[in-house]
Amino acid sequence: MRVLIVNTSENAGGAAVAAHRLMETLNKNGVKAKMLVREKVSDGLTIVPLPQSFRLRWNFLWERLCIFLHLHLSRKSLFEIDIANTGTDITALREFQEADIIHLHWINQGMLSLKNIRKILDSGKPVVWTMHDIWPATSICHLTLGCTNFTQRCQHCKYLPNGGGKRDLSARVWKRKEEMLNGHRIHFVACSRWLADEARKSALLSNQPVTNIPNPIDTSVFSPSDKNAARQRLSLPADKRLLLFVSQRVTNRNKGMTFLVDACRKLVADNPKFKENTGIVILGGHSEELESAFELPTFALGYVSDTQKIVDVYNAVDLFILPSLSENLPNTIMEAMACGKPCIGFEVGGIPEEIDHLKNGYVAKFMDADDLAKGIHWVLDEADYQSLSQSALQKVARNYSQQNVAARYIELYSEISHTPFKP
């Protein structure tokens, strides 16, 4: 069985990481999988770039320009919506023609247009689309932020000035998506049960199958190791309890950094010793901009792409905190748990599916800095830490192991291609 995984980026962002891990997982389990990306940045033999041309860059710029004009020259939501009005036809590529299954992931920002996807469907090849956010089930947005228009028909979008005006962009893109799907079947996969439930509410996907399969993680890479040795390699202090916050761009408001700042401020106010014995590690782009925001010793590590160094960061800390305001099934929580670290996050999206409250971490009330502080205090000062750590490891092994996830995808591939799997 040959599977072509299609994703805009090779390694930047959570979707790219998940897609790459799935490709590796499938290859380890007898499936011949390749990954098609806009630009190849590694020397991996199973990574295939689009034919390089000026058009690739232009596709991205043209879509942003169209969105920029519809936003009345405002940058506020420039990267919060996508219209897929331009992209690359991949059906003539040898890798596409050889594939038995086409597996789409995050294909925005000029990778594939809606017309390109329609052409893929017209080819007759079975198509799986793993949803890393709600965009495939809405018109233009990746985060609905409480909007329910997509359950009937997207229009008058809150991201657009005056709801889009007379030439409502969201209504027009919705119609194009309806036309793309008309007469065709895509097998949508959501990484979390929460996202699967949201997708099933979409009028756009009312006749499409939606299932739930989580992302895989390689527990031979993300695994517990000596904390003190990891701290030495990262030049982190050995005498403090360390909290960890991770994001590709830590200044992203959706990641909820302000709630973590407020929670730590409360902990210091309630217990001044907290400032003496606890520090916070920030991993991600622009982390240096937040060093002065905390009343705790802060260690900004910047953006890191080296996997082993990322594993060291998880092993060097005591607790991982992700106070996001919207999430699907965060890879970062999975990675931290695979290294035996208790986790804390808000009760939103797929986070409560990963964190079992008071078993391997703490699920705080949504957007509640006081409860976030309570969770930090509980994990560090009240709970049986070793029990939390062991429970985290067991959760990952039971639900997110490569073998488990690969088996579920292989079963889906075999079902939709009507071809028994032969490794």
Side-chain angles (χ1 to χ4, degrees), residues 34 51 135 171:
K34 291 184 178 181
W135 185 84

Side-chain angles (χ1 to χ4, degrees), residues 75-103:
R75 294 178 57 88
K76 182 179 179 182
S77 299
L78 187 57
F79 289 95
E80 295 179 18
I81 59 178
D82 278 290
I83 58 177
N85 63 334
T86 184
T88 300
D89 178 8
I90 67 172
T91 59
L93 298 179
R94 177 173 59 86
E95 289 78 12
F96 180 91
Q97 295 175 353
E98 291 177 348
D100 301 303
I101 303 285
I102 306 302
H103 192 156

Side-chain angles (χ1 to χ4, degrees), residues 70-71 81 138-141 143-150 152-175:
H70 279 283
L71 294 174
I81 59 178
T138 68
S139 174
I140 62 177
C141 75
L143 296 174
T144 58
L145 300 179
C147 175
T148 59
N149 285 355
F150 73 100
Q152 296 180 324
R153 183 180 187 85
C154 283
Q155 55 187 340
H156 309 310
C157 180
K158 67 168 68 176
Y159 287 98
L160 300 172
N162 302 317
K166 292 182 179 179
R167 290 179 54 79
D168 188 342
L169 179 65
S170 60
R172 286 188 284 134
V173 175
W174 179 274
K175 183 177 180 180

Side-chain angles (χ1 to χ4, degrees), residues 49-233:
L50 290 176
Q52 297 301 296
S53 68
F54 170 76
R55 171 109 191 198
L56 287 184
R57 181 64 176 167
W58 175 246
N59 286 343
F60 170 78
L61 294 174
W62 176 247
E63 184 185 30
R64 288 312 108 188
L65 176 60
C66 292
I67 294 172
F68 189 49
L69 293 174
H70 279 283
L71 294 174
H72 297 177
L73 307 186
S74 169
R75 294 178 57 88
K76 182 179 179 182
S77 299
L78 187 57
F79 289 95
E80 295 179 18
I81 59 178
D82 278 290
I83 58 177
N85 63 334
T86 184
T88 300
D89 178 8
I90 67 172
T91 59
L93 298 179
R94 177 173 59 86
E95 289 78 12
F96 180 91
Q97 295 175 353
E98 291 177 348
D100 301 303
I101 303 285
I102 306 302
H103 192 156
L104 307 180
H105 283 255
W106 202 87
I107 46 74
N108 298 111
Q109 296 189 0
M111 178 69 178
L112 295 180
S113 69
L114 299 181
K115 287 184 178 179
N116 296 150
I117 299 173
R118 173 72 188 206
K119 194 165 184 179
I120 291 171
L121 295 170
D122 287 341
S123 74
K125 290 182 181 287
V127 177
V128 174
W129 194 341
T130 292
M131 301 173 61
H132 295 277
D133 56 45
I134 197 66
W135 185 84
T138 68
S139 174
I140 62 177
C141 75
H142 294 273
L143 296 174
T144 58
L145 300 179
C147 175
T148 59
N149 285 355
F150 73 100
T151 63
Q152 296 180 324
R153 183 180 187 85
C154 283
Q155 55 187 340
H156 309 310
C157 180
K158 67 168 68 176
Y159 287 98
L160 300 172
N162 302 317
K166 292 182 179 179
R167 290 179 54 79
D168 188 342
L169 179 65
S170 60
R172 286 188 284 134
V173 175
W174 179 274
K175 183 177 180 180
R176 291 173 197 158
K177 284 190 172 182
E178 286 182 323
E179 293 169 349
M180 176 190 77
L181 291 169
N182 185 34
H184 287 291
R185 191 175 182 84
I186 296 178
H187 293 263
F188 288 93
V189 176
C191 302
S192 67
R193 295 190 298 274
W194 165 79
L195 185 58
D197 289 340
E198 290 295 295
R200 292 186 188 106
K201 297 175 185 176
S202 171
L204 194 64
L205 306 189
S206 60
N207 296 317
Q208 304 293 332
V210 179
T211 190
N212 162 231
I213 303 176
N215 296 325
I217 188 168
D218 188 346
T219 52
S220 68
V221 175
F222 288 89
S223 60
S225 67
D226 184 79
K227 179 190 294 185
N228 290 327
R231 290 189 177 191
Q232 281 188 334
R233 287 190 289 269

